[in-house]
Amino acid sequence: MNSLLDKEVGQIVAEDYRSAAVFSKYGIDFCCNGNRNLYEVCSKKKVEVEIVVKEIEALTSDGEKQGDNFNTLPLNVLADHIEQKHHRYVEERIPILKQYLHKINTVHGERHPELKEIYRLFSECAGELTMHMKKEELVLFPFIRKMVLSLKHNEAVESPRFLTVTNPIQTMRDEHESAGDIFSKISSLTHSYTPPSDACSTYKVAFLMLKEFEEDLHLHVHLENNILFPKAEKLEREMVLKMPRNQAI
């Protein structure tokens, strides 16, 4: 049990993604704030840490670990996966969700005034995520791929204009936290995505889609914050150490 207590929650999920179900059950953030150890987050949430540990151990004790496929992927392949699966998902869902949220706010907003704020918050998050993904696709991910390729061929990497990969990564982490905060507010306003008794079909579908969107965002952020980003920073440090000073990143 002590080994789990000392681990960061993001690391636990990176090693076996099934543990994410336990953290979600107790409202423990394993993506944006995955750099806290298990004992710390349980104390803050006033959750009995022994119970959480037992549930994680029971859930992950049988079969192969889930998440190893992400944890062992080459960084360029992981970046490709994030783009192709999670970035494309966000791009496809944003216009549909905005349409549904606008519609239910127009029809039901008088009886449920919180819908106006939900629509505003989601629109704000959608705009931020769109810009965020473009920065990853045009700046950060290409440099990560370049580092992987250069290491493979034992070549130097030209110094990027952002000096070190840690700089854009910190910006991405900050933006992840902003998106997480927004969805925390949306979850609260929707009572954990529970539609009211008078909800129409569109209302119910919109809330289901919001819930799915948040779940995908959690996995998306987890893959970056807890796997891709730390390994990219480690790779850069290793390349600096391996290369002559006049060839360092």
Side-chain angles (χ1 to χ4, degrees):
M1 182 168 98
N2 290 336
S3 60
L4 271 180
L5 290 179
D6 294 335
K7 285 185 178 181
E8 295 180 350
V9 291
Q11 180 188 356
I12 294 172
V13 178
E15 292 175 353
D16 196 321
Y17 192 70
R18 287 174 293 183
S19 60
V22 178
F23 292 138
S24 296
K25 175 182 176 181
Y26 293 104
I28 294 172
D29 180 2
F30 61 85
C31 51
C32 296
N33 293 297
N35 59 341
R36 301 167 299 165
N37 67 48
L38 184 58
Y39 182 82
E40 178 187 353
V41 295
C42 286
S43 298
K44 188 172 182 179
K45 282 285 184 180
K46 294 181 169 50
V47 175
E48 291 188 39
V49 68
E50 293 83 3
I51 294 176
V52 175
V53 169
K54 285 181 180 178
E55 291 191 21
I56 291 174
E57 290 177 341
L59 195 64
T60 62
S61 61
D62 58 332
E64 295 183 359
K65 288 185 177 181
Q66 302 297 311
D68 282 354
N69 55 330
F70 293 128
N71 209 21
T72 60
L73 283 178
L75 294 191
N76 56 322
V77 177
L78 181 56
D80 290 344
H81 169 80
I82 291 169
E83 274 194 34
Q84 294 163 10
K85 181 173 175 61
H86 298 289
H87 286 199
R88 299 296 83 81
Y89 171 87
V90 170
E91 291 173 350
E92 291 168 3
R93 286 295 188 273
I94 281 175
I96 300 171
L97 260 169
K98 288 183 71 173
Q99 178 186 350
Y100 284 7
L101 292 173
H102 181 268
K103 181 177 180 180
I104 63 175
N105 179 48
T106 302
V107 177
H108 300 275
E110 188 174 340
R111 292 192 305 279
H112 300 283
E114 70 277 4
L115 289 173
K116 181 178 181 180
E117 180 65 1
I118 292 168
Y119 176 68
R120 186 194 70 78
L121 285 169
F122 181 77
S123 297
E124 178 185 342
C125 188
E128 290 181 1
L129 282 174
T130 299
M131 293 298 296
H132 172 90
M133 293 187 303
K134 287 301 178 188
K135 283 185 281 189
E136 288 185 336
E137 293 177 12
L138 297 176
V139 179
L140 179 56
F141 288 3
F143 183 68
I144 290 174
R145 294 185 183 104
K146 186 182 293 185
M147 284 199 298
V148 172
L149 189 63
S150 296
L151 186 64
K152 180 179 179 181
H153 296 292
N154 196 29
E155 297 174 347
V157 176
E158 183 180 351
S159 179
R161 66 177 184 274
F162 46 77
L163 302 179
T164 170
V165 75
T166 297
N167 290 330
I169 281 176
Q170 186 55 54
T171 299
M172 298 302 103
R173 287 184 183 276
D174 292 342
E175 292 175 357
H176 286 164
E177 186 171 351
S178 175
D181 289 343
I182 289 174
F183 259 91
S184 179
K185 293 174 185 176
I186 291 175
S187 179
S188 178
L189 286 168
T190 60
H191 304 286
S192 299
Y193 309 105
T194 305
S197 57
D198 62 339
C200 64
S201 296
T202 303
Y203 206 134
K204 294 175 182 177
V205 169
F207 274 32
L208 282 172
M209 289 183 67
L210 277 174
K211 184 175 185 293
E212 181 190 76
F213 194 97
E214 184 183 38
E215 290 170 349
D216 181 83
L217 185 64
H218 284 170
L219 176 54
H220 178 175
V221 171
H222 160 68
L223 292 177
E224 293 184 356
N225 277 13
N226 299 325
I227 302 179
L228 182 68
F229 293 168
K231 288 189 174 186
E233 291 175 315
K234 182 174 182 287
L235 175 59
E236 184 182 63
R237 290 194 299 270
E238 290 174 349
M239 294 183 74
V240 170
L241 290 173
K242 287 182 179 180
M243 294 176 186
R245 288 187 178 181
N246 63 343
Q247 290 185 320
I249 293 175

